[in-house]
Amino acid sequence: MAKTAMDLASGLGGNIDKKEVLSAVDQYEKYHACHGGDEQARKENYTDMVNKYYDLSTSFYEFGWGESFHFATRWKGESLKESIKRHEHFLALKLGLQPGMKVLDVGCGIGGPLREIARFSSTSITGLNNNDYQITRGKVLNRVAGVDKTCDFVKADFMKMPFSDNVFDAVYAIEATCHAPDALGCYKEIYRVLKPGQSFAAYEWCMTDSYDPKNEEHQKIKAQIELGDGLPDIRTTRQCLEALKLAGFEIIWEKDLAVDSPVSWFLPLDTTQWSLSSLRCTALGRLVTRNLVKALEYVGIAPQGSSRVQSFLETAADGLVAGGRKEIFTPMYVFVARKPLSTSASPSSGAQ
């Protein structure tokens, strides 16, 4: 269900009072290094930061990207929409999903992947999300798609899941657990709610081995991505693997899918390229959206501060393209990890 210009305007700011959007933008930006913020403050206030981010950005995501807020490997001749669906199907196959399974989607957004995977695998999926606006949108879209009887949403923090131990047949996360301030804490919660012998799979946003934390250009790119995508920090692939092991998981398979993608994952955001299938993300599309938002803001249809949100999302896009070109960042480090059948040994404690 594509977003129109008026849909975009009505959704800007999410559940934030329209008179408070500009103030929320100010508060959100101050969390980030580009505006003088620091990592520790982002981690300590991650719930507020991430909620502000998704209230401010969700309508833009739907307008420009669709219902699934993630990247994908892409074959030549394949549209962005087709690649995103295949990416979701690939995760379902890696998890070995079977009809009737009870599945958890950690950080489900508005439920685009949830709906696609539920229909593809005939499973029942619970979407975990801590943002009221996204849950409201997801419920509407579930009804439209006809999956509202088998799929639902639960509002909760990744770090404090309101589920009993050992209740899910599978768990997945698509570009979501990177929003948690602590990878180990998040993975331990996933481990707890997953049944013994079952699997957790995820696509993670990570810095690669090519990232140099002492390189100022690399630091700037990382800060741009964190600002524009609501991230407390971006962990390395090695840190993710270590946190999984400390949480008690057995690593079944892991790979950075960006390395072998026939078409660069960041192509839809690259303003030097032209694409009809992702027109709103091209240089022309950005210009049209930017001017549209300014006009809607000027006449009072969109709240003050909306154009600032558009600006930091463009900053993120530029950072993502730069990070992808330099191969210091990947949005598709994928792994499949299993909870052992015997869980007598408790997972390690600590922070990541």
Side-chain angles (χ1 to χ4, degrees):
M1 190 166 64
K3 275 263 186 177
T4 66
M6 290 310 296
D7 289 329
L8 171 65
S10 64
L12 289 174
N15 279 2
I16 299 171
D17 187 289
K18 304 308 178 187
K19 295 178 182 178
E20 301 297 325
V21 168
L22 183 58
S23 174
V25 174
D26 282 331
Q27 293 169 36
Y28 172 75
E29 289 179 338
K30 287 176 182 176
Y31 281 124
H32 291 277
C34 296
H35 295 269
D38 65 83
E39 180 184 324
Q40 189 58 36
R42 290 195 297 277
K43 288 185 174 181
E44 289 174 356
N45 299 280
Y46 77 97
T47 299
D48 179 65
M49 183 198 70
V50 173
N51 263 297
K52 280 188 171 62
Y53 174 74
Y54 280 117
D55 272 323
L56 295 169
S57 66
T58 294
S59 197
F60 281 103
Y61 274 139
E62 276 197 82
F63 184 72
W65 207 256
E67 295 177 19
S68 293
F69 304 161
H70 63 83
F71 293 97
T73 56
R74 194 167 162 190
W75 295 101
K76 292 180 180 179
E78 185 178 39
S79 71
L80 176 62
K81 185 175 181 179
E82 288 169 340
S83 71
I84 285 174
K85 285 178 179 286
R86 181 175 49 77
H87 208 59
E88 293 161 359
H89 295 173
F90 176 78
L91 197 67
L93 291 170
K94 276 293 181 184
L95 275 173
L97 298 187
Q98 299 293 326
M101 276 187 169
K102 184 178 180 181
V103 182
L104 178 65
D105 179 334
V106 179
C108 60
I110 61 171
L114 176 152
R115 287 182 288 279
E116 187 63 35
I117 291 174
R119 289 179 294 200
F120 177 74
S121 61
S122 298
T123 52
S124 298
I125 305 181
T126 297
L128 185 70
N129 193 325
N130 208 22
N131 183 266
D132 285 314
Y133 177 68
Q134 288 198 331
I135 289 176
T136 299
R137 283 291 301 148
K139 287 181 176 179
V140 170
L141 294 169
N142 274 9
R143 287 195 294 272
V144 172
V147 299
D148 51 310
K149 299 294 189 296
T150 56
C151 298
D152 61 359
F153 298 91
V154 171
K155 184 181 187 301
D157 189 333
F158 296 174
M159 311 296 286
K160 301 172 185 176
M161 298 185 189
F163 308 116
S164 301
D165 296 354
N166 309 320
V167 293
F168 289 101
D169 298 305
V171 180
Y172 69 84
I174 301 180
E175 300 182 12
T177 54
C178 51
H179 290 285
D182 166 14
L184 177 55
C186 183
Y187 293 161
K188 285 172 72 174
E189 273 293 270
I190 291 169
Y191 182 96
R192 181 182 65 79
V193 303
L194 182 63
K195 292 178 180 178
Q198 300 305 308
S199 297
F200 163 46
Y203 293 120
E204 285 280 18
W205 283 33
C206 292
M207 305 312 294
T208 69
D209 288 341
S210 298
Y211 172 70
D212 179 1
K214 296 179 181 179
N215 182 306
E216 290 187 4
E217 184 181 11
H218 289 193
Q219 291 173 6
K220 178 183 176 182
I221 290 169
K222 180 173 180 283
Q224 287 178 321
I225 297 171
E226 288 167 349
L227 167 69
D229 293 282
L231 305 177
D233 185 27
I234 308 176
R235 293 174 280 272
T236 65
T237 55
R238 293 174 186 268
Q239 287 174 321
C240 280
L241 274 185
E242 183 63 20
L244 282 166
K245 293 173 183 176
L246 287 172
F249 283 106
E250 300 171 342
I251 310 301
I252 304 303
W253 182 77
E254 53 88 20
K255 184 178 183 181
D256 179 3
L257 296 184
V259 173
D260 298 326
S261 181
V263 176
S264 299
W265 61 265
F266 55 83
L267 183 68
L269 300 179
D270 187 352
T271 56
T272 67
Q273 303 295 317
W274 172 258
S275 172
L276 281 175
S277 67
S278 52
L279 181 62
R280 288 174 176 174
C281 299
T282 63
L284 176 61
R286 279 201 207 180
L287 178 64
V288 171
T289 302
R290 191 182 309 133
N291 289 331
L292 171 64
V293 172
K294 285 181 179 178
L296 292 169
E297 192 173 335
Y298 179 78
V299 300
I301 296 175
Q304 292 296 309
S306 296
S307 57
R308 290 259 298 276
V309 178
Q310 169 76 9
S311 178
F312 72 62
L313 290 174
E314 288 187 7
T315 295
D318 294 339
L320 288 165
V321 172
R325 285 192 185 285
K326 293 182 178 297
E327 299 182 346
I328 64 171
F329 169 81
T330 176
M332 54 185 75
Y333 176 63
V334 62
F335 58 75
V336 181
R338 182 170 57 207
K339 181 175 179 176
L341 275 171
S342 173
T343 58
S344 54
S346 60
S348 303
S349 61
Q352 184 72 20

